[in-house]
Amino acid sequence: CLLSLTTSGAAPDPAPPPASEAEQAEAKAKRRLLSRHMGAALDHMEAARRLLAPLASEDPPAKEAQGVLLAKAKARYTEAAAAYEAAIALLPGVSGAAPERLKLIEKIAYFNLACARARLGEADPALAALGKALELGYGDIERIEQDPDLGDLRSHPRFVNLLERVQARLAKQAMEAAA
């Protein structure tokens, strides 16, 4: 996964800014907090990947060390999932950023949450998060089909159904655009 988007440089919302200085400060603080959650989640995902990398090498560590690496990676994926969930919970209260940018952040957060939950072996929450990302308009079929984080989900009937629905939606959009 590891889709990222920094939120610190978010373009101003075309709507009028909050009326008071206090409201402006609160909006800015929420945008910063959102950025921190997304950044922390990404850091945890990257750290988990680095922890797992030796397991895929030609000379993997001893079994005992493998267990330690797996436990540490699981802890990082758990932290990443919690940070993505915190960002998602915060999004409805964020103002002062372009709505399109916030929608993109939400799609990325849900997609990456799906990846973290899938890596934790939590198929139902992973599929729910992936479904929400797709519902919000996420449509990178190639990434969904090839992302190693989602590998354990690919044989799941709900995964196949989600993929078929997004493919149908994209085909419909392409036909409408051509008309």
Side-chain angles (χ1 to χ4, degrees):
C1 283
L2 300 180
L3 293 177
S4 66
L5 176 70
T6 58
T7 56
S8 58
D13 192 331
S20 71
E21 284 185 35
E23 288 172 337
Q24 289 178 11
E26 182 179 349
K28 187 175 183 176
K30 284 183 180 179
R31 288 192 308 272
R32 272 195 226 139
L33 184 57
L34 175 63
S35 181
R36 275 193 223 116
H37 286 311
M38 293 294 286
L42 185 62
D43 290 346
H44 288 299
M45 293 288 284
E46 290 173 345
R49 278 228 168 119
R50 285 191 305 272
L51 286 164
L52 294 176
L55 301 179
S57 71
E58 290 181 22
D59 187 26
K63 290 274 188 209
E64 195 174 283
Q66 288 179 23
V68 171
L69 291 173
L70 288 170
K72 287 181 178 182
K74 182 177 181 177
R76 288 298 196 138
Y77 283 124
T78 300
E79 290 293 326
Y84 283 124
E85 288 168 345
I88 290 165
L90 185 63
L91 275 165
V94 174
S95 62
E100 304 83 30
R101 185 166 181 89
L102 294 175
K103 185 175 180 180
L104 178 61
I105 292 167
E106 187 174 25
K107 286 188 281 192
I108 288 170
Y110 273 109
F111 182 78
N112 285 347
L113 175 60
C115 292
R117 291 289 179 206
R119 282 292 188 171
L120 289 166
E122 299 172 359
D124 287 337
L127 289 164
L130 181 59
K132 185 65 176 178
L134 296 172
E135 178 186 312
L136 292 168
Y138 185 84
D140 188 344
I141 298 291
E142 187 175 327
R143 180 176 288 274
I144 295 169
E145 290 177 332
Q146 297 176 9
D147 195 306
D149 291 336
L150 300 175
D152 290 345
L153 298 179
R154 288 200 180 88
S155 62
H156 198 288
R158 282 179 50 205
F159 180 88
V160 174
N161 182 276
L162 287 170
L163 197 56
E164 288 172 351
R165 286 193 326 209
V166 75
Q167 288 169 330
R169 183 189 81 222
L170 293 173
K172 181 181 175 188
Q173 289 173 347
M175 288 176 57
E176 289 173 355

